[in-house]
Amino acid sequence: MRKNSNKNKRINGEVMKVISEAIRYSKDPRISPMTSVMDVEVAPDLKTCKVWVTVMGNDEDRERTLEGLKSAAGYVRSTLAKELNMRYTPEIRFIMDDSIEYAIDMSKKIDEIAAKDNEARKARGEENED
């Protein structure tokens, strides 16, 4: 199976749904309730699976959640085996995805620069061009 085939995309989507549900119902107190599965990439041979997760919170929450997810990988894998009928149940590797935090930070910086630009225009007596 090729990496970007339709079959691989369908498998990634189904695996993502099952892993999201398994994380939501896991009982590990280290896993933050604000954990989201951003993307899943199952290898074409179905042996490995990379799961990108994001956690809203501080760095300590992220570290604890990643530790809890690594600990719960066996539970998630067994849930995946029960829910999906696949030839192999992939070995799961969790990866922290900081793209949302990065986007929020960049948005704040853009808003700050736009506000400073508007103040500079007003100080020069120019009209606002929104």
Side-chain angles (χ1 to χ4, degrees), residues 18-88:
V18 172
I19 290 176
S20 296
E21 289 294 316
I23 290 172
R24 184 176 303 136
Y25 294 116
S26 73
K27 295 182 171 135
D28 193 330
R30 295 175 290 184
I31 299 174
S32 170
M34 296 298 289
T35 303
S36 300
V37 176
M38 299 305 293
D39 195 20
V40 170
E41 183 180 304
V42 179
D45 64 357
L46 304 177
K47 301 271 181 155
T48 60
C49 174
K50 294 178 187 175
V51 181
W52 284 272
V53 295
T54 186
V55 179
M56 296 303 287
N58 57 22
D59 289 336
E60 182 182 325
D61 290 339
R62 287 187 198 96
E63 289 174 17
R64 280 192 8 245
T65 298
L66 189 59
E67 183 181 314
L69 288 172
K70 287 179 180 178
S71 174
Y75 163 73
V76 173
R77 188 174 183 204
S78 68
T79 303
L80 192 61
K82 290 175 190 173
E83 295 291 323
L84 297 179
N85 184 18
M86 297 170 59
R87 178 171 294 168
Y88 303 107

